[in-house]
Amino acid sequence: MSSVLATVICVVMLFWGISDAQLSPTFYASTCPNVSSIVRGVVEQAAQNDVRLGAKLIRMHFHDCFVDGCDGSILLVDATGINSEQDEAPNTSVEGYGVVDDIKTAVENVCPGIVSCADILALASEILVTLAGGPTWQVPLGRRDSTTANAARTSDIPSPFETFENLSLKFSNKELDSTDLVALSGAHTFGRSQCQFFSQRLNDTNPDPTLNPTYLQTLRQACPQGGNPSRLNNLDPTTPDDFDNNYFTNLQNNSGLLATDQMLFSTSGADTVAIVNRFANSQTAFFDSFAQSMIKMGNLSPLTGSNGEIRADCKRVN
């Protein structure tokens, strides 16, 4: 290839926003080959003391990626020039930051200045899903960390109170389709949610008609009017700590905890209904799609090459 042709190709790539810096599962093969085992060692230990850890960190990863891409911005605390995303409504119930710090410390002790906090979130999510009985996948790596947070853009994160149209739109705005929406919602097959995020469905005079009547009564007992809004309830009442496809059979039985869960199955004419049925009928289909959707979500606008930095402390810019 002539130097002139190479220059032309580079210019075209830059014009179209194409980068030669791509994420790869082997990104740290020479610089930190044991990174996955280091992360696994920390989260395996932490998960023994917190059965909810997998749900916590995959939620953190999801909330990170939906704000300007998977760049670790959710981990930044308030500082000069930093208005933390953690203090905004979608993130005030996000937990697990201490474990991320522990992982970062362990990684820095072996590979200082090499592995990003954004990649730590992606790796920890996959490992914890696998530990809970879910699928495994090759996590693309090579993200760098942002030097800013974007509190205003936390409105991009789907809330439990969205309409079906808004929920779909928030995913499509990130180039995630209906299969991604249903598959990633399937992460609610483990973990907990606070009463305040679904109590509006339990109204005495006008309860959500898509709620199974028996399940409605169970939830009313768990979350009585005037009760503790922060009380935790299983997102999957059947196998609350296992990563499986029971979330989808729950939806078929009108036993989705959040309105945004149940609407995937109960919205008449929605293309998500057939996807829910497919995943309910085949755990393998769900696992395959979930892995693909996690990789797709993890590829949202990563910082690569010379963009961003490798934070020494996930909570602060260098």
Side-chain angles (χ1 to χ4, degrees):
M1 181 185 296
S2 71
S3 59
V4 173
L5 180 57
T7 301
V8 169
I9 291 174
C10 287
V11 169
V12 170
M13 290 175 69
L14 288 171
F15 178 79
W16 288 105
I18 302 171
S19 171
D20 60 357
Q22 300 295 325
L23 302 185
S24 167
T26 60
F27 184 82
Y28 297 112
S30 60
T31 56
C32 192
N34 296 325
V35 60
S36 184
S37 61
I38 297 169
V39 175
R40 178 177 289 273
V42 177
V43 300
E44 281 183 341
Q45 184 68 34
Q48 290 179 12
N49 302 315
D50 184 1
V51 72
R52 296 169 54 213
L53 184 63
K56 289 177 179 178
L57 290 196
I58 200 169
R59 183 175 183 228
M60 188 186 297
H61 180 41
F62 178 90
H63 283 215
D64 180 43
C65 291
F66 261 68
V67 179
D68 294 340
C70 309
D71 59 4
S73 61
I74 192 174
L75 301 170
L76 292 171
V77 297
D78 279 332
T80 302
I82 301 291
N83 184 14
S84 179
E85 296 169 16
Q86 296 179 18
D87 303 323
E88 301 303 311
N91 291 331
T92 53
S93 60
V94 171
E95 301 176 67
Y97 298 109
V99 176
V100 176
D101 290 337
D102 291 343
I103 300 170
K104 181 62 172 175
T105 298
V107 172
E108 286 293 305
N109 286 339
V110 179
C111 311
I114 299 296
V115 181
S116 68
C117 301
D119 276 349
I120 283 173
L121 281 181
L123 274 171
S125 295
E126 188 273 339
I127 292 167
L128 285 160
V129 165
T130 303
L131 287 175
T136 184
W137 62 94
Q138 293 292 309
V139 181
L141 300 168
R143 302 168 190 81
R144 289 166 64 84
D145 297 320
S146 67
T147 55
T148 59
N150 194 341
R153 289 295 295 273
T154 57
S155 60
D156 289 359
I157 300 170
S159 87
F161 310 112
E162 305 285 359
T163 64
F164 181 81
E165 291 73 19
N166 284 347
L167 182 65
S168 298
L169 181 61
K170 286 190 172 184
F171 273 76
S172 64
N173 284 343
K174 305 299 180 185
E175 298 186 1
L176 298 170
D177 61 24
S178 294
T179 300
D180 300 316
L181 165 58
V182 178
L184 292 173
S185 295
H188 288 172
T189 186
F190 64 176
R192 314 285 186 269
S193 183
Q194 297 178 9
C195 289
Q196 63 179 315
F197 296 128
F198 59 86
S199 57
Q200 81 284 357
R201 307 182 70 201
L202 315 180
N203 187 291
D204 283 339
T205 56
N206 187 29
D208 187 333
T210 66
L211 258 177
N212 179 298
T214 302
Y215 190 45
L216 170 62
Q217 294 308 316
T218 299
L219 293 179
R220 280 176 170 168
Q221 292 175 8
C223 301
Q225 288 190 346
N228 180 4
S230 298
R231 180 173 177 178
L232 294 172
N233 295 261
N234 295 329
L235 281 159
D236 175 359
T238 53
T239 51
D241 300 320
D242 297 333
F243 201 98
D244 53 30
N245 69 330
N246 283 358
Y247 167 85
F248 300 104
T249 55
N250 294 337
L251 299 187
Q252 290 178 323
N253 294 325
N254 287 346
S255 297
L257 184 65
L258 305 178
T260 45
D261 291 325
Q262 191 58 50
M263 65 177 56
L264 300 176
F265 181 74
S266 297
T267 302
S268 179
D271 60 353
T272 55
V273 177
I275 303 169
V276 168
N277 288 332
R278 179 160 58 91
F279 292 165
N281 292 332
S282 171
Q283 183 163 279
T284 299
F286 166 47
F287 280 11
D288 289 347
S289 289
F290 184 81
Q292 293 170 20
S293 294
M294 284 296 293
I295 291 171
K296 190 173 175 182
M297 183 188 77
N299 284 333
L300 290 176
S301 305
L303 298 173
T304 58
S306 59
N307 294 317
E309 65 181 16
I310 305 299
R311 288 188 218 133
D313 179 345
C314 289
K315 299 187 296 295
R316 299 175 179 86
V317 298
N318 294 340

